[in-house]
Amino acid sequence: MAPRTHRRLRLTGIAGAMVLGLIACQSDTGSTHPHMGHADTTSFSQEMNQSMQAMTKAMAGSSMTGDPDHDFAAMMVPHHQGAIAMAKAVLEHGKDPVLRRLAQEIIVTQQQEIAVMEGRLSAESISPQKAPLPGTPSGAQRRSSTDPADPDIPISSQDRVYTSDQTSNTVSVINPATNRLLGVIRLGDPVPGSLSPLYKNQLLVHGGGFSPDHRTLATVSIGSNSVTLIDTATNKVKGVVYIGRSPHEAFFTPDGKELWATVRGENYVSVIDPVRMREKRRVTTANGPGMVLFRPDGKYGFVPSSFTPEVDVVDTKTYRIVARVPQASPFSPNLAVSRDGSEVWFTLKDSGKTQIMSTRPPFRILSTIDSGPITNHVALVDNRAGKFAYVTVGGENVIKVYRRGGTPNLMATIPTGDLPHGIWGSGDGTRVYVGLENQDAVVAVDALTNKVIATIPVGQQPQQLLYVPRAVPSGPGTANLEPLGVAGKAGHLTLSPPKDSGEHAHATVSVNALGALDLLQVAATGLKPGKNYTLWLTEKRAAPFGRKQALTMFTANAAGAQIGQAIGLLREVLTPPESTAPIPDQRYLIITPAGSGTAVAVQDQFQPMPRPAGPSPEPAPAAGGS
């Protein structure tokens, strides 16, 4: 190393020691800022002291190579992280409006500079050594689920929210700084084009995960048995890995070296090499593995089942199951791991329950919550208000917020819109995003007030939702995105019990355009568990309903809820006729028990739906297609 580099490091260490000494002296003497109380000053001094210690340790531990470009970036990353931590402490405790504004600017600008420097180091295939800063965990999936070592990442235009849109076969891309849809990554075509024997793009885009460096999105398509790897900076498909029947979800190991995809139509997890983009091995599990996430230290993977009532705990080094923990019911679609690595929350869609399990041997169930019908996904979020679990309950169209620790208790119920499904927290834990499956939208929730602050239109029937901080290192990040197009043509209806019927059934309905056809999805609740029901298209809303046409049949699950689908020319007949439009008379939706003519739910008064505008144009080639 050059002598000048040695001098620079010595001076940095001396300066750091001087600052630490000053802070320590202030803490010892108990001196106070004129605008703050003594308790706040003590807490502030401790936070500043810890931040400086972590910064000095990280800078001293940075590997110097003699290359000025590398060494500058490697030193400045922890330096800026320390500055951000101190700025956050000022925002928490300080009162001076000028300094608070300056602190906000420091957080924004130095986060941007960190992204640039990390990008340059990444380009050299060299990663800076990052020491954890006290009280500042980082990373999207990290902050809202696992890694305790990352610092907080304030919401910025570099972040992205992604939804996997099952019917339009798209990935919707949202900028959370503006809460606007930027466009979609089209991985496939709508039905019926996607059912052609010559079709070779993706079908039923459903699940997803992302790499620890936030540079790769892994999107799972159930119908085409595939995992698509997407570059988050360019929105470009890097490759597709085809695996077993009906995969459901996928996530990277904490070290980023492997991508584990649950093959729900079979009995194993596919372990994928994300660099070579090929399956390297299989881990046999209970039949129907639903999802996989890992303990922050990477030692164990947790795999609940969709068909078998057990959670399998897998040793990631030996790929062997070390524990089989009973689930309260068979159908678990989703789970989340706490940031401190102490507990796993997993949902049970069939029985409307959520269970909490210890992540340490003997991996026992800690608690079971009756969360509600069509319990979908869960996100674990930590912020200055505490530690919480956000659970989407599709049958009630709400998010239920539980305070974690000891015995979980319900803190808030947040109305969202129709059939909330995927959910994920922002990098700083201040916001939660939720996909509305039967509303073709995403809502943004302020996690400090638990209020919905935005509703954003997305592709058709969003399933998994992911929040990825710093997904875009620089620039607008809109390359290779397309407008919603036909995917934005959808209608939404509700069904309620007939007046004075004594029934309790309710349903939300989405009617999505599939080019020349429409896909109708109904999500019903308040039914009798285990009973069969029929969704009808009728001439009248009231009995005797006139001529009826059966659209679909379904069986209510253990929570008295179910989701059913039908395909046909449905938006036309569900839209009121206009004197200037030669379309069929309006028809209505009702639900009856199988074999009965008595309705338990009937369509509410008309809600506006987009009228079909004639034949739809042929869709453009899907991303990555030919």
Side-chain angles (χ1 to χ4, degrees), residues 184-218:
V184 300
I185 305 168
R186 192 131 63 80
L187 301 183
D189 301 331
V191 175
S194 56
L195 301 180
S196 165
L198 297 179
Y199 181 74
K200 59 180 182 179
N201 293 311
Q202 308 316 314
L203 179 63
L204 299 182
V205 175
H206 187 98
F210 57 90
S211 59
D213 64 2
H214 305 173
R215 294 294 178 262
T216 303
L217 189 71

Side-chain angles (χ1 to χ4, degrees), residues 151 155 158 222 276 324-325 358 363 383 394 401 432 451 454 460 470 483 488 490 499 541 544 594 602 607 618 624:
I155 295 168
Q158 293 177 278
I222 294 175
R276 297 183 178 181
R324 299 180 186 271
V325 182
S358 170
F363 307 106
N383 54 41
V401 186
V432 171
K451 302 292 185 182
Q460 296 173 346
R470 296 183 188 160
K499 187 177 180 180
R541 290 181 61 249
V602 299
Q607 300 175 13
E618 287 296 317

Side-chain angles (χ1 to χ4, degrees), residues 392-418:
T392 57
V393 183
E396 298 178 9
N397 297 327
V398 299
I399 306 166
K400 294 188 177 179
V401 186
Y402 298 89
R403 185 178 293 276
R404 291 161 30 220
T407 301
N409 59 312
L410 183 65
M411 299 297 297
T413 298
I414 308 170
T416 59
D418 296 352

Side-chain angles (χ1 to χ4, degrees), residues 229-254:
L229 300 178
I230 301 171
D231 183 276
T232 56
T234 64
N235 304 303
K236 188 175 182 180
V237 172
K238 299 196 290 186
V240 181
V241 183
Y242 290 93
I243 51 179
R245 180 179 183 272
S246 300
H248 186 238
E249 295 286 357
F251 224 94
F252 287 80
T253 52

Side-chain angles (χ1 to χ4, degrees), residues 111-348:
Q111 287 285 8
Q112 295 171 342
E113 291 169 5
I114 286 173
V116 173
M117 290 184 286
E118 287 184 335
R120 301 309 302 161
L121 289 166
S122 176
E124 300 171 0
S125 299
I126 301 172
S127 297
Q129 294 182 0
K130 294 194 287 184
L133 300 177
T136 56
S138 158
Q141 188 253 352
R142 304 311 186 240
R143 178 60 179 172
S144 56
S145 58
T146 57
D147 191 348
D150 283 337
D152 281 338
I153 302 180
I155 295 168
S156 79
S157 59
Q158 293 177 278
D159 300 358
R160 290 292 180 266
V161 175
Y162 300 96
T163 62
S164 297
D165 310 322
Q166 181 168 275
T167 298
S168 54
N169 293 320
T170 56
V171 175
S172 293
V173 183
I174 294 169
N175 180 350
T178 59
N179 283 328
R180 292 185 179 275
L181 177 73
L182 299 177
V184 300
I185 305 168
R186 192 131 63 80
L187 301 183
D189 301 331
V191 175
S194 56
L195 301 180
S196 165
L198 297 179
Y199 181 74
K200 59 180 182 179
N201 293 311
Q202 308 316 314
L203 179 63
L204 299 182
V205 175
H206 187 98
F210 57 90
S211 59
D213 64 2
H214 305 173
R215 294 294 178 262
T216 303
L217 189 71
T219 302
V220 179
S221 300
I222 294 175
S224 48
N225 302 331
S226 61
V227 180
T228 303
L229 300 178
I230 301 171
D231 183 276
T232 56
T234 64
N235 304 303
K236 188 175 182 180
V237 172
K238 299 196 290 186
V240 181
V241 183
Y242 290 93
I243 51 179
R245 180 179 183 272
S246 300
H248 186 238
E249 295 286 357
F251 224 94
F252 287 80
T253 52
D255 61 10
K257 293 180 179 179
E258 294 178 342
L259 173 64
W260 288 35
T262 53
V263 182
R264 188 162 67 172
E266 301 191 49
N267 65 338
Y268 62 87
V269 175
S270 175
V271 181
I272 297 168
D273 182 330
V275 176
R276 297 183 178 181
M277 288 188 279
R278 65 186 187 190
E279 184 180 76
K280 56 187 284 189
R281 70 183 304 144
R282 295 177 175 181
V283 179
T284 302
T285 63
N287 187 38
M291 187 176 177
V292 60
L293 280 179
F294 302 90
R295 205 169 74 175
D297 60 8
K299 186 173 183 179
Y300 299 114
F302 304 97
V303 186
S305 174
S306 297
F307 303 143
T308 307
E310 74 174 44
V311 178
D312 291 340
V313 182
V314 182
D315 185 305
T316 57
K317 288 187 177 179
T318 65
Y319 302 100
R320 294 180 178 176
I321 294 176
V322 296
R324 299 180 186 271
V325 182
Q327 297 173 185
S329 63
F331 186 8
S332 176
N334 187 258
L335 79 161
V337 182
S338 64
R339 175 174 152 255
D340 62 7
S342 65
E343 59 186 15
V344 175
W345 286 57
F346 60 92
T347 57
L348 297 166

